[in-house]
Amino acid sequence: MKLGKVEFCHFLQIIALFLCLSGMNQAELSKSRSKPYFQSGRPRTKRSWVWNQFFVLEEYMGTDPLYVGKLHSDVDKGDGSIKYILSGEGASSIFIIDENTGDIHATKRLDREEQAYYTLRAQALDRLTNKPVEPESEFVIKIQDINDNEPKFLDGPYTAGVPEMSPVGTSVVQVTATDADDPTYGNSARVVYSILQGQPYFSVEPKTGIIKTALPNMDREAKDQYLLVIQAKDMVGQNGGLSGTTSVTVTLTDVNDNPPRFPRRSYQYNVPESLPVASVVARIKAADADVGPNAEMEYKIVDGDGLGVFKISVDKDTQEGIITIQKELDFEAKTSYTLRIEAANKHVDSHFQSLGPFSDMTTVKIIVEDVDEPPVFTSRLYSMVVSEAAKVGTIIGTVAAHDPDVSNSPVRYSIDRNTDLERYFNIDANTGVITTAKSLDRETNAVHNITVLAMESQNPAQIGRGYVAITILDINDNAPEFAMEYETTVCENAQPGQVIQKISAVDKDDPPSGHQFYFSLTAEAANNHNFTLQDNKDNTASVLTRRNGFRRQEQSVFYLPIFIVDSGSPSLSSTNTLTIRVCDCDADGIAQTCNAEAYILPAGLSTGALIAILACVLTLLVLVLLIVTMRRRKKEPLIFDEERDIRENIVRYDDEGGGEEDTEAFDMAALRNLNIIRDTKTRRDVTPEIQFLSRPTFKSIPDNVIFREFIWERLKEADVDPCAPPYDSLQTYAFEGNGSVAESLSSLDSISSNSDQNYDYLSDWGPRFKRLADMYGTGPDSFYS
Ligand SMILES: *[C@@H]1O[C@H](CO)[C@@H](O)[C@H](O)[C@H]1NC(C)=O
Ligand SMILES: *[C@@H]1O[C@H](CO)[C@@H](O)[C@H](O)[C@H]1NC(C)=O
């Protein structure tokens, strides 16, 4: 402060008091500037306070208020007429002023780190007038720092990592301590770092707090973690400075400084020869002190006689080498293998390769153990062929198996009967020759896959398996037949030469060059004036009309016997009968009414089932009327035609039970098929006349009881048969009569004796009986004779 320049400050002397560290001494600096001012002779001017700073030491511990300083005005003559007043920050709470003397005291302990200075205002008033004798002025009380804060590590404790084997002086981490004391004043905030724990491995730079490695070759595998204690001390580390500490956990991170090493120079494993391919033979592991990727391993077979037979791969989790079989072992061929196996680190640090190769070798010896093995067939699958015409005992082929063991015990053959349930084949137990044991049918089974067994005669538990596919060669043993049941009609207005049906044929045989069929009318029908047949030479034939003027009333059904021959050698043939119904057609040749009306009924019948039933009841009524009429007429020659009509009417009645989709309900042939005793095939070979007029018959009238049993048996059979078509003619019949079936039939016993009564009775019961006969293969014909 240049006092010389403060001449204009003529009223107020500011006395600043400096207090020394003890805080108790005080020096009063007071200077009167009035004299020089007046001497200058300048006009007297009111000037403001000359403000200054007071300094007060923080953290005063005494009991009395701490003296800060004194305000004094020149106007103050010491007579008590001047009053000093203090205002501003902390006035009257922290700082008080003696209004008479101007002495300022601090009443509280002050903390620089809380507030470093206070701005206050001072006033000098005339006690009497209360008028300021000086203008108000501002001044500052500054808090003087003492070293009352120790350094602190705000970010501690620290953790850090450094690679193992790092060179000396590699920095690890920097620690920082902060000191709340005044960094601009003294050394209270000047910190110096030192290491209390962690030597000699680590050091810390005193000024920066950077921690560095202090030893070379620090090995993670020896010790991987260090706990350091770092101290920060203020007052530049001098005695009396305050200090703080922190801990630093330093982890050494792994580097690949350890090569893999097999614990042993050689290993030996025993393996049964039966162990399947891909089985694990052994697991070996090269040790590696490193961790993670630095311990990742690669194994390979570098040498030895087991190359190609064994394989080594690495287990990613355990880093073990897994030796597996790659090719089937055979004790009889080779009894031991030697493998040279190398283990190498996957990731090698070039820095450490000077330590030597990061790989190791070991020898693995594998001893193959003998196992008693089942016989082995010379081939896994034998293919053989045999003609279906082959006689029982024909040799088909030979299989062979041998015991692979050194003992080479003899082998006995057999056929696994589960694969030849019907025992079509035999095998010679000693020679392995397979023969037929039964006649074969290609049409039933074209291929037989059988399993042959070879058993060691000394040890029946050792069974080898071979597979034989026996293909049956076709011979022409099936005659051709119609490809389907043809539903043929001819229109009443048909013209001669009109094609009314195209037919084709099928044959169960399978000739290598395909089928060739030849069609013709049978010799008896060759001069048929009604229809003719034309072979289309493409395995089909056309049936044509030969005349016009077909009349339903005249003849409603024609039967045309057609002869079909196949091209086999020798060829087979059959006669198939085509049934042709005469129909009334519209102009377009669409059948409108045939004699069997059910045949052309539209499929939409279903919509009115009730109406259909009503229609049937009506038909029945008509039928009854018709029968009554017939009985009166008693014209025998009409029996067949009439009877047929009646039968057909009954059949229509059956339609109601057959369901709307049952368009074939009228077909008595289908009903007849229910009778398994009969062979439908035979029907094709009879001429139409024969078929129409004569049916297989019972030669004698059946006994009442037998017949009743027969019917009930059939009834039961039909009831339980899930495959039977849904004809309910059986039920219909049962409900229709008054009294039991058997009873009504029983009256037939007398028929043969009384022809008149007989016919009357038949025309009454005829329809039912006829149906019954059709179903069970007994025609009414037999009862007429
Ligand atoms: C026989 O085996 C062959 C394959 O081996 C197979 O394709 C064929 O369906 C088998 N035949 C029979 C009848 O099991
Ligand atoms: C051809 O039709 C007439 C008239 O219906 C018939 O009398 C004759 O028996 C039929 N011929 C053959 C071979 O069916």
Side-chain angles (χ1 to χ4, degrees):
M1 181 189 310
K2 289 177 181 160
L3 290 175
K5 289 220 165 172
V6 212
E7 294 148 328
F8 38 80
C9 176
H10 54 113
F11 290 120
L12 188 66
Q13 281 266 338
I14 292 176
I15 296 126
L17 293 170
F18 287 87
L19 302 168
C20 69
L21 253 173
S22 69
M24 307 310 286
N25 302 333
Q26 58 191 58
E28 187 173 315
L29 302 176
S30 157
K31 262 188 189 161
S32 168
R33 300 220 173 111
S34 55
K35 218 166 188 173
Y37 181 78
F38 286 118
Q39 281 170 352
S40 74
R42 282 183 191 176
R44 182 178 163 157
T45 318
K46 282 263 181 181
R47 290 291 175 123
S48 59
W49 300 83
V50 169
W51 65 272
N52 211 327
Q53 290 181 340
F54 291 110
F55 288 90
V56 59
L57 208 58
E58 61 170 334
E59 304 293 345
Y60 168 64
M61 306 292 281
T63 48
D64 300 330
L66 176 65
Y67 182 71
V68 176
K70 187 180 180 72
L71 291 177
H72 186 75
S73 174
D74 284 353
V75 182
D76 187 0
K77 303 282 184 275
D79 56 4
S81 63
I82 298 297
K83 185 166 88 172
Y84 295 96
I85 288 184
L86 199 61
S87 61
E89 281 180 298
S92 78
S93 60
I94 300 171
F95 302 105
I96 52 168
I97 191 163
D98 184 322
E99 61 175 35
N100 295 320
T101 63
D103 287 334
I104 300 170
H105 284 86
T107 59
K108 283 186 181 154
R109 204 164 109 182
L110 298 170
D111 184 2
R112 189 201 67 84
E113 284 73 36
E114 205 173 274
Q115 185 155 359
Y117 59 86
Y118 295 83
T119 307
L120 295 145
R121 288 183 304 278
Q123 254 184 327
L125 300 177
D126 186 307
R127 197 176 286 273
L128 291 175
T129 63
N130 239 5
K131 289 247 173 75
V133 295
E134 298 275 349
E136 194 179 62
S137 185
E138 241 180 36
F139 67 97
V140 167
I141 297 175
K142 246 188 146 177
I143 313 301
Q144 188 77 40
D145 186 42
I146 63 164
N147 189 16
D148 59 343
N149 286 282
E150 76 278 5
K152 281 196 178 116
F153 290 96
L154 298 177
D155 297 332
Y158 295 81
T159 56
V162 66
E164 61 171 331
M165 300 292 168
S166 291
V168 171
T170 304
S171 71
V172 179
V173 69
Q174 182 172 22
V175 297
T176 308
T178 47
D179 192 313
D181 288 324
D182 190 353
T184 62
Y185 173 76
N187 292 328
S188 303
R190 289 180 63 189
V191 166
V192 162
Y193 299 96
S194 60
I195 184 163
L196 300 187
Q197 183 184 311
Q199 280 172 317
Y201 308 102
F202 295 94
S203 64
V204 65
E205 277 192 356
K207 281 183 183 161
T208 60
I210 293 174
I211 296 169
K212 292 179 168 177
T213 57
L215 267 191
N217 299 333
M218 277 199 289
D219 190 6
R220 188 198 66 83
E221 286 75 35
K223 180 170 164 64
D224 64 351
Q225 212 170 63
Y226 294 85
L227 183 67
L228 278 50
V229 177
I230 305 294
Q231 184 191 59
K233 195 171 184 184
D234 59 17
M235 301 307 289
V236 208
Q238 299 294 309
N239 279 346
L242 301 176
S243 66
T245 60
T246 190
S247 69
V248 183
T249 306
V250 178
T251 306
L252 294 186
T253 53
D254 189 47
V255 298
N256 193 2
D257 56 343
N258 292 283
R261 288 286 171 258
F262 282 109
R264 289 163 61 180
R265 294 290 90 195
S266 73
Y267 298 82
Q268 182 170 319
Y269 297 95
N270 289 14
V271 176
E273 61 172 330
S274 59
L275 209 61
V277 168
S279 303
V280 174
V281 171
R283 299 175 83 101
I284 55 172
K285 185 174 182 184
D288 192 318
D290 295 319
V291 292
N294 295 326
E296 278 179 17
M297 218 64 78
E298 269 168 349
Y299 295 91
K300 58 181 177 214
I301 301 172
V302 290
D303 200 5
D305 53 7
L307 281 162
V309 180
F310 298 96
K311 197 173 78 167
I312 191 160
S313 57
V314 64
D315 181 329
K316 294 265 179 289
D317 297 327
T318 63
Q319 301 302 330
E320 287 172 315
I322 307 168
I323 301 172
T324 49
I325 303 178
Q326 219 177 0
K327 239 158 97 180
E328 267 176 25
L329 301 178
D330 185 4
F331 171 82
E332 286 73 30
K334 191 159 167 51
T335 56
S336 80
Y337 294 90
T338 306
L339 312 173
R340 288 283 293 158
I341 290 175
E342 183 193 75
N345 271 149
K346 216 162 161 183
H347 314 285
V348 175
D349 190 336
S350 56
H351 198 72
F352 293 97
Q353 278 200 309
S354 54
L355 298 178
F358 269 59
S359 63
D360 194 21
M361 298 272 264
T362 192
T363 302
V364 175
K365 190 163 187 187
I366 292 164
I367 308 289
V368 181
E369 290 173 335
D370 192 18
V371 169
D372 191 6
E373 292 162 293
V376 177
F377 279 93
T378 52
S379 165
R380 260 191 79 72
L381 177 66
Y382 296 88
S383 293
M384 299 179 184
V385 289
V386 62
S387 165
E388 64 178 319
K391 292 197 166 47
V392 170
T394 303
I395 292 176
I396 303 171
T398 307
V399 295
H402 75 281
D403 176 12
D405 294 321
V406 184
S407 57
N408 195 9
S409 33
V411 163
R412 288 183 67 79
Y413 302 96
S414 59
I415 290 173
D416 180 349
R417 286 302 169 189
N418 289 322
T419 62
D420 183 24
L421 291 169
E422 305 196 23
R423 295 181 171 260
Y424 280 112
F425 306 102
N426 278 336
I427 191 166
D428 187 299
N430 298 310
T431 62
V433 171
I434 297 174
T435 53
T436 54
K438 240 182 174 178
S439 40
L440 304 165
D441 183 18
R442 190 204 66 85
E443 285 71 39
T444 316
N445 255 328
V447 178
H448 293 263
N449 288 333
I450 62 170
T451 303
V452 286
L453 308 175
M455 185 188 290
E456 275 183 33
S457 42
Q458 271 99 352
N459 183 359
Q462 294 293 339
I463 299 174
R465 275 159 209 285
Y467 303 94
V468 186
I470 300 172
T471 306
I472 313 298
L473 295 181
D474 188 41
I475 58 163
N476 189 22
D477 56 350
N478 287 278
E481 56 192 42
F482 276 169
M484 55 180 285
E485 295 264 351
Y486 294 104
E487 307 283 1
T488 309
T489 61
V490 61
C491 289
E492 287 186 325
N493 58 0
Q495 293 305 304
Q498 195 173 320
V499 174
I500 58 165
Q501 181 73 55
K502 198 166 178 186
I503 56 172
S504 57
V506 289
D507 188 322
K508 285 178 191 156
D509 291 319
D510 184 21
S513 54
H515 289 293
Q516 176 65 55
F517 302 120
Y518 304 98
F519 301 86
S520 60
L521 292 181
T522 57
E524 308 91 81
N527 57 352
N528 188 315
H529 298 293
N530 303 323
F531 303 101
T532 185
L533 182 104
Q534 180 184 312
D535 191 334
N536 296 328
K537 314 277 188 215
D538 60 352
N539 288 347
T540 68
S542 302
V543 176
L544 301 94
T545 52
R546 214 167 167 183
R547 66 168 171 93
N548 55 7
F550 291 96
R551 291 276 164 271
R552 272 192 298 154
Q553 289 79 3
E554 214 171 274
Q555 185 167 348
S556 57
V557 180
F558 290 88
Y559 297 97
L560 191 63
I562 296 173
F563 189 65
I564 311 175
V565 187
D566 66 19
S567 58
S569 156
S571 63
L572 290 179
S573 64
S574 70
T575 301
N576 299 257
T577 303
L578 186 68
T579 305
I580 305 166
R581 292 174 192 280
V582 183
C583 296
D584 176 27
C585 302
D586 62 10
D588 297 328
I590 309 294
Q592 299 298 312
T593 324
C594 298
N595 63 324
E597 286 179 24
Y599 178 66
I600 55 153
L601 275 175
L605 183 68
S606 62
T607 52
L610 270 173
I611 294 168
I613 291 168
L614 279 174
C616 290
V617 170
L618 268 174
T619 314
L620 271 176
L621 279 172
V622 170
L623 161 76
V624 168
L625 281 173
L626 202 64
I627 291 168
V628 170
T629 320
M630 273 175 63
R631 197 193 293 177
R632 289 190 182 144
R633 281 160 64 195
K634 295 181 186 174
K635 279 186 176 176
E636 292 211 40
L638 284 173
I639 287 173
F640 293 131
D641 279 346
E642 291 298 329
E643 183 193 281
R644 199 157 45 240
D645 287 339
I646 291 160
R647 180 190 70 184
E648 280 147 6
N649 284 330
I650 293 279
V651 168
R652 270 203 61 197
Y653 173 75
D654 286 349
D655 253 357
E656 124 191 48
E660 56 272 9
E661 280 162 24
D662 183 15
T663 54
E664 294 187 334
F666 66 92
D667 188 351
M668 292 315 283
L671 278 175
R672 229 175 274 118
N673 282 343
L674 286 171
N675 185 345
I676 51 165
I677 293 166
R678 283 183 137 215
D679 184 1
T680 54
K681 225 166 147 184
T682 58
R683 289 192 62 231
R684 294 217 169 81
D685 297 323
V686 299
T687 62
E689 286 79 19
I690 294 167
Q691 187 191 352
F692 183 61
L693 293 174
S694 73
R695 294 202 173 87
T697 57
F698 289 138
K699 291 287 173 248
S700 59
I701 295 164
D703 178 80
N704 173 16
V705 178
I706 294 173
F707 203 71
R708 185 178 12 208
E709 275 174 8
F710 181 72
I711 289 166
W712 283 117
E713 251 172 52
R714 294 296 157 176
L715 263 171
K716 270 189 266 166
E717 214 171 274
D719 279 344
V720 298
D721 183 3
C723 307
Y727 303 112
D728 61 354
S729 45
L730 278 175
Q731 287 91 329
T732 307
Y733 179 76
F735 294 135
E736 189 176 13
N738 42 359
S740 82
V741 170
E743 269 170 37
S744 67
L745 288 170
S746 72
S747 65
L748 291 175
D749 282 353
S750 59
I751 286 173
S752 54
S753 58
N754 186 336
S755 62
D756 223 10
Q757 285 281 5
N758 158 22
Y759 181 64
D760 274 355
Y761 183 84
L762 262 187
S763 54
D764 195 4
W765 285 98
R768 281 181 235 141
F769 184 70
K770 177 70 165 62
R771 285 174 57 246
L772 181 73
D774 272 334
M775 285 187 291
Y776 302 130
T778 52
D781 320 56
S782 57
F783 295 95
Y784 297 139
S785 58

